[in-house]
Amino acid sequence: MSRMTPSLEQKPGISPANRSLERGVEILRAFRPGSELLGNAELADRTGLSRSTVSRLTQTLVGAGMLQVDAGQRAYRLAPAVLSLAHAMRSGSSVLSLAAPKMRALAESRRINVGLAAPDRDEMVYLESIRYNRRVSLRNVVSGQRVPMELTSLGRAWLATAGEPRRKALYALFKQRRREQWPALREEIEAAIASVNMRGFCAAAWQPEVVALAAPIRLPAAQPDEAPGASGYVLNLSVSSSESLASVVRELSPALLALVADVERALARGFA
């Protein structure tokens, strides 16, 4: 099991972080797809926290309605309240509400997959995934699913907007995780960043016969750790295809860039 990943987020304001709250969030983060039930020992292993600390935190999270106890298994599962928080996030996202109808229209007209994602530490999280692929794929992507930042077009497109300090910290994590692959992988990432800067998008085929193009959404106001104009959101188009990467890029890149421009205009009007 992996240990707790250090936060790469810049903390707003000057107030000191609440360590108990941070550790409680780490407990919740330990639950991933395929991890319905986790005991204190597994949670301690996944978070790097001591078992005594985990025991106190799980009891608190149960009392707060964030975890449920399975007495027979002596383990915990996420409570329904967690899903309600996710629903509140999705329904309250102005970016998603403006982008989703345009994404669906493109997905339906071209019979392709269209996604919207945002970064979370060293991964990308899908906020929306509309699947209309022309070919059946074994890969099913849903809202809330995470994908590796360093391997995907989504992640590489976002890295093109990241400030240098954050990108450097992420590179250190990628290198630690993929030591033997890192020299070649870094070249691919740098090429993708150059592509975003020159053409507005990048492409990757990190799974067999799945090609994806991604482009960052840019707005006037950027976060402190992002380049000017960056919004933190990335749009992508993907297909399951036996065609070459270059062929798919030629076919889909105009549609992706048009979608990004359309969403940016809608967001600029909405935030004006």
Side-chain angles (χ1 to χ4, degrees):
M1 298 293 183
S2 59
R3 292 282 178 170
M4 180 169 55
T5 304
S7 176
L8 293 165
E9 306 292 340
Q10 293 187 359
K11 292 182 171 58
I14 58 175
S15 299
N18 185 307
R19 294 297 301 280
S20 294
L21 178 58
E22 285 186 335
R23 289 170 174 175
V25 171
E26 291 301 331
I27 296 293
L28 299 177
R29 280 179 175 274
F31 289 86
R32 295 294 183 96
S35 304
E36 178 188 359
L37 287 170
L38 294 175
N40 283 339
E42 292 171 294
L43 288 168
D45 187 51
R46 292 188 178 205
T47 61
L49 300 172
S50 69
R51 292 195 185 188
S52 59
T53 297
V54 168
S55 180
R56 290 195 301 271
L57 291 170
T58 51
Q59 291 178 45
T60 300
L61 289 167
V62 169
M66 295 291 107
L67 291 181
Q68 293 179 333
V69 182
D70 187 310
Q73 299 289 330
R74 300 182 66 181
Y76 304 90
R77 62 168 55 88
L78 293 175
V82 177
L83 181 59
S84 72
L85 293 176
H87 176 69
M89 181 273 158
R90 280 175 52 80
S91 62
S93 171
S94 56
V95 173
L96 184 55
S97 65
L98 288 170
K102 302 177 186 301
M103 295 166 58
R104 185 169 297 279
L106 178 59
E108 291 177 348
S109 66
R110 297 292 296 267
R111 310 303 296 178
I112 57 177
N113 307 321
V114 183
L116 175 69
D120 179 45
R121 294 184 173 177
D122 56 339
E123 297 175 306
M124 300 296 292
V125 179
Y126 273 95
L127 305 182
E128 184 65 278
S129 178
I130 302 170
R131 317 299 287 179
Y132 278 97
N133 196 15
R134 67 193 70 171
R135 294 177 57 193
V136 176
S137 172
L138 295 177
R139 181 169 177 250
N140 185 32
V141 178
V142 297
S143 300
Q145 186 164 329
R146 296 170 176 271
V147 293
M149 183 179 286
E150 70 273 27
L151 298 181
T152 59
S153 62
L154 279 170
R156 294 172 182 182
W158 181 81
L159 284 167
T161 73
E164 187 59 31
R166 189 169 185 193
R167 190 186 302 169
K168 184 177 180 180
L170 285 164
Y171 278 11
L173 284 176
F174 302 154
K175 182 178 181 180
Q176 181 180 14
R177 184 161 56 217
R178 305 182 188 276
R179 291 189 182 278
E180 295 183 0
Q181 301 169 274
W182 177 239
L185 189 56
R186 178 164 185 165
E187 287 187 10
E188 292 179 9
I189 294 172
E190 293 294 335
I193 291 173
S195 179
V196 171
N197 291 335
M198 290 188 297
R199 301 192 290 174
F201 70 92
C202 64
W206 72 289
Q207 291 189 329
E209 295 194 353
V210 177
V211 178
L213 283 67
I217 296 174
R218 299 184 184 275
L219 295 173
Q223 296 298 317
D225 58 350
E226 295 171 347
S231 68
Y233 297 93
V234 181
L235 282 163
N236 83 330
L237 308 183
S238 67
V239 292
S240 294
S241 174
S242 57
E243 298 179 17
S244 68
L245 177 63
S247 176
V248 175
V249 166
R250 285 194 299 270
E251 179 184 357
L252 295 185
S253 57
L256 173 62
L257 294 176
L259 175 62
V260 170
D262 196 12
V263 170
E264 287 176 346
R265 285 192 295 270
L267 291 173
R269 291 193 298 268
F271 294 153

